[in-house]
Amino acid sequence: DSKKYSEKTLEGIFEVTSLIGTVGMSEGEPVVHLHITISDESMTVFGGHLAKGRVSATLEMVLTVFQTSFEKI
């Protein structure tokens, strides 16, 4: 993958206001591509690609499984 994304580490307490993306397969391995929007205690919003994160309490998610395959090429 030749695309470069800028990364920023955020510290603090945030609420996930949106999390959307895909989970597919590439060469037999799962590939996760997520876009996230989070809000801090002062309601400042941050968004972008989610590279990694940690949940300290709960995160409510709905995953939809499609009957078609999704293969990254």
Side-chain angles (χ1 to χ4, degrees):
D1 194 331
S2 62
K3 294 181 182 179
K4 302 286 186 207
Y5 301 105
S6 60
E7 290 188 18
K8 184 174 187 176
T9 300
L10 302 174
E11 299 286 338
I13 298 171
F14 299 94
E15 178 179 359
V16 176
T17 57
S18 177
L19 181 64
I20 189 167
T22 57
V23 178
M25 300 296 287
S26 179
E27 298 178 4
E29 295 293 322
V31 177
V32 181
H33 184 102
L34 297 175
H35 298 254
I36 191 166
T37 305
I38 58 176
S39 172
D40 67 11
E41 293 173 339
S42 66
M43 297 188 180
T44 301
V45 176
F46 304 91
H49 288 98
L50 178 63
K52 64 181 177 177
R54 181 178 62 210
V55 175
S56 63
T58 62
L59 176 65
E60 298 173 13
M61 295 176 59
V62 175
L63 299 176
T64 303
V65 178
F66 295 99
Q67 297 304 313
T68 59
S69 64
F70 176 80
E71 184 79 25
K72 183 174 180 175
I73 54 173

